[in-house]
Amino acid sequence: MIKYLLVFAAILGMGWILWQLGVEFQTAQELNPLASEYVRGSTSDLNMPNAVTAVVVSYRGLDTLGEVTVLFLATAGIGFLLKRKKRSAGLEIDDADGAANVPVCDESALAGLEFDATGTTDPQNNLSNSLSSLSNSVVKNETLSSSAVKTRTEGSEILKTGSNLLVPMIVVLGIYIFTHGHLSPGGGFQGGVVIASGILMLIMAEVRFHLSHLLLHISESLSGLAYVAMGLAGLILLGVHHFLDPRYLLAGKFLALFSAGAVPVIYSLIGIKVGSELASVLASIQHEGEDL
Amino acid sequence: MFETITLIFLGLISVAAAIFAIYTKRVVSAVIASGVISLSASIMFLLAAAPDVAMTEATIGAGLTTVIFLYALKHIRASREGKDD
Amino acid sequence: MILLITGMLLILAGIWAILVKKDIIRMIIGFTVVDTGVHLLIVAIGYVKGGTAPIIDRAVSTADASFAGLQAISKVVDPVPSALVLTAIVIGLAVTGLMLAYAVRLNKATGSTNIDDHEEQKW
């Protein structure tokens, strides 16, 4: 009861803080000077219709770099925590479970093997067989005691036919969204998430589709490296104060696809990176605990 | 006028879904309710003239977050079934 | 204004869920609700009365492209909170995924997701 009263007091305190924010709030009538400077600069300096893309890629480019770093760290953490068991004959190192995997000699394993050893004609061979199987069962205690073998369930007929039709269209939609990020609402993050959801549909529908984790890691690392390299190219080519300044490529015609300097290239690299990161997160979550 | 009514309606749906997500007994229903909150927030972003944010919230909030929650629930349930032999 | 009130109510509901509930999955759902409320709050601050989306092509103003920025200033919503919320949504997804990976691992090690069963870490 005391706990509920204290929680209620905490909620009232937080509500009072939010009320102080909201009681003097008036909807703004016109843009503040910083935002009007960004809006003016995005059409005249950077030659780009989408002001939000200008703010994300160029004016606040360091925030985007930090976000890409946080995504990378979270993906690495998830990939470290959710492991897939390797099918090995020797000692299985699955040490995140702690005490559950201490090799303990089961009475039942011993009893079953003793009864097996008396039924055959060759005692020496059978003794060595039973000893090796006993050692295997001692070591892989967890895999023998789990009753169900984790297999991948086959997708239904509707899912397979639908995925054959839809996955190419979803991937093309994702590529369209991140290449036209500077002309219409969209950009790298939205396009990357759409591509990752297309790959998720492919994983769910096809049982025999082996997603190569190595390919996803390579594409993610290379695109992240290329993004930082393009930022450094702005630093080298334009002067000291111009990290992540996209003006060193051609400005082009307004509303054309290849315009606004290096912004389409930067957003495409971010889109590829986010797409492969989220696809690897989804693949490692789905295939957790299965045998390779 | 019409926009204000739509915004009030969506706000009521969000708060009702939040209360439902706290006090329901099944966890799967709570996960789907959080997806409904994200979807109505996405439509409110669109009515507040921020289409980039609406697109991002719709794909990530109502899409990937719900899928990741359901996968985690599947693994939790499977490892509990495995221990109850 | 309505976005502001809805965002505040969602923040309060989410904090209530984090503090009262005992199941780890419900706490993570509470975190997600708090995230959505905060994003609504930030976008509500950037709204300009009668404004439109910050995409300045020839539909917003009828002048030339180099003058489009100058004439669109009084009619366009603030782009900076939109950019900040874009970043925040993706980071919220990453943190939610990491929390769920920890919850799955904790359940595999001890067999339950109730925080009352994990009393050995209380001081």
Side-chain angles (χ1 to χ4, degrees):
Chain A
M1 196 58 205
I2 298 290
K3 188 184 89 152
Y4 275 102
L5 283 180
L6 284 177
V7 169
F8 194 62
I11 296 289
L12 277 184
M14 191 72 198
W16 181 77
I17 293 175
L18 290 176
W19 174 254
Q20 295 299 318
L21 173 66
V23 77
E24 300 165 352
F25 177 73
Q26 290 151 1
T27 309
Q29 302 295 329
E30 59 180 14
L31 282 181
N32 51 354
L34 178 68
S36 55
E37 180 61 37
Y38 282 163
V39 165
R40 181 181 299 139
S42 98
T43 45
S44 53
D45 286 341
L46 293 174
N47 207 15
M48 193 178 348
N50 194 353
V52 178
T53 301
V55 174
V56 164
V57 173
S58 167
Y59 291 117
R60 301 276 168 128
L62 283 178
D63 293 346
T64 308
L65 191 61
E67 169 185 5
V68 161
T69 308
V70 167
L71 257 186
F72 171 69
L73 287 174
T75 306
I78 293 177
F80 171 66
L81 282 175
L82 301 175
K83 302 195 260 216
R84 298 157 65 186
K85 293 192 183 127
K86 289 195 178 11
R87 190 179 316 199
S88 61
L91 191 64
E92 179 181 281
I93 305 178
D94 195 10
D95 54 4
D97 284 341
N101 209 7
V102 171
V104 162
C105 209
D106 251 355
E107 318 282 301
S108 56
L110 270 181
L113 287 169
E114 270 179 12
F115 281 124
D116 278 341
T118 56
T120 54
T121 59
D122 192 3
Q124 183 69 23
N125 203 9
N126 208 8
L127 188 59
S128 64
N129 279 351
S130 62
L131 275 180
S132 63
S133 65
L134 178 62
S135 68
N136 277 349
S137 80
V138 159
V139 165
K140 286 198 214 172
N141 198 8
E142 197 177 47
T143 54
L144 269 188
S145 63
S146 66
S147 61
V149 177
K150 291 195 178 91
T151 56
R152 303 184 191 177
T153 55
E154 185 90 10
S156 70
E157 188 72 29
I158 296 179
L159 188 58
K160 278 199 275 199
T161 314
S163 81
N164 281 342
L165 182 64
L166 283 179
V167 168
M169 288 199 262
I170 290 178
V171 171
V172 168
L173 178 69
I175 294 179
Y176 170 80
I177 288 179
F178 71 66
T179 51
H180 287 248
H182 58 292
L183 299 174
S184 65
F189 299 106
Q190 292 91 326
V193 171
V194 169
I195 288 183
S197 65
I199 295 183
L200 170 71
M201 188 171 196
L202 205 55
I203 292 176
M204 283 202 300
E206 286 289 329
V207 171
R208 287 165 290 277
F209 177 66
H210 282 288
L211 189 65
S212 166
H213 278 251
L214 187 63
L215 182 65
L216 286 178
H217 288 322
I218 286 178
S219 84
E220 167 192 347
S221 311
L222 280 181
S223 46
L225 199 62
Y227 170 57
V228 177
M230 297 209 62
L232 284 177
L235 187 68
I236 293 173
L237 291 174
L238 282 180
V240 173
H241 299 289
H242 293 271
F243 182 63
L244 278 174
D245 199 347
R247 280 180 278 190
Y248 55 92
L249 286 183
L250 292 175
K253 201 167 84 72
F254 194 65
L255 287 181
L257 185 55
F258 292 106
S259 67
V263 169
V265 185
I266 289 180
Y267 242 173
S268 306
L269 288 171
I270 290 180
I272 296 174
K273 180 177 172 66
V274 168
S276 43
E277 257 172 355
L278 290 176
S280 106
V281 162
L282 287 170
S284 71
I285 284 184
Q286 174 158 30
H287 297 157
E288 194 244 344
E290 288 179 7
D291 292 331
L292 261 182
Chain B
M1 174 65 186
F2 191 61
E3 196 173 299
T4 314
I5 295 178
T6 313
L7 278 177
I8 293 180
F9 181 59
L10 288 170
L12 286 175
I13 286 184
S14 298
V15 177
I19 297 180
F20 176 74
I22 297 176
Y23 284 114
T24 182
K25 290 201 174 31
R26 298 167 54 100
V27 186
V28 180
S29 305
V31 167
I32 306 272
S34 87
V36 166
I37 293 179
S38 283
L39 197 62
S40 63
S42 154
I43 303 179
M44 284 205 274
F45 285 143
L46 192 64
L47 289 173
D52 289 75
V53 182
M55 204 190 280
T56 310
E57 176 76 32
T59 51
I60 290 184
L64 279 190
T65 302
T66 309
V67 166
I68 288 184
F69 263 112
L70 291 175
Y71 270 141
L73 281 177
K74 176 189 94 160
H75 283 309
I76 288 179
R77 205 161 286 182
S79 81
R80 272 196 204 151
E81 299 279 325
K83 286 192 193 305
D84 284 345
D85 278 337
Chain C
M1 192 64 191
I2 300 171
L3 261 80
L4 200 74
I5 297 176
T6 309
M8 289 180 187
L9 287 175
L10 281 178
I11 291 176
L12 293 179
I15 293 182
W16 174 266
I18 295 172
L19 289 175
V20 162
K21 287 298 185 176
K22 291 198 186 328
D23 193 16
I24 286 186
I25 304 291
R26 301 253 181 185
M27 285 182 187
I28 299 176
I29 292 178
F31 272 108
T32 313
V33 171
V34 169
D35 269 343
T36 305
V38 169
H39 301 151
L40 278 170
L41 199 66
I42 295 179
V43 168
I45 290 179
Y47 185 64
V48 167
K49 198 173 176 65
T52 172
I55 312 244
I56 308 160
D57 53 354
R58 291 180 191 91
V60 174
S61 75
T62 56
D64 195 14
S66 62
F67 287 117
L70 288 176
Q71 284 198 354
I73 283 178
S74 63
K75 288 187 283 188
V76 153
V77 166
D78 200 355
V80 177
S82 289
L84 298 176
V85 170
L86 212 65
T87 304
I89 290 177
V90 179
I91 293 183
L93 168 74
V95 172
T96 302
L98 202 55
M99 283 198 277
L100 280 172
Y102 271 113
V104 166
R105 234 13 189 176
L106 195 64
N107 178 60
K108 192 186 274 198
T110 49
S112 90
T113 54
N114 205 354
I115 58 169
D116 282 339
D117 293 337
H118 299 125
E119 296 257 323
E120 70 267 3
Q121 291 172 355
K122 262 174 104 159
W123 41 274

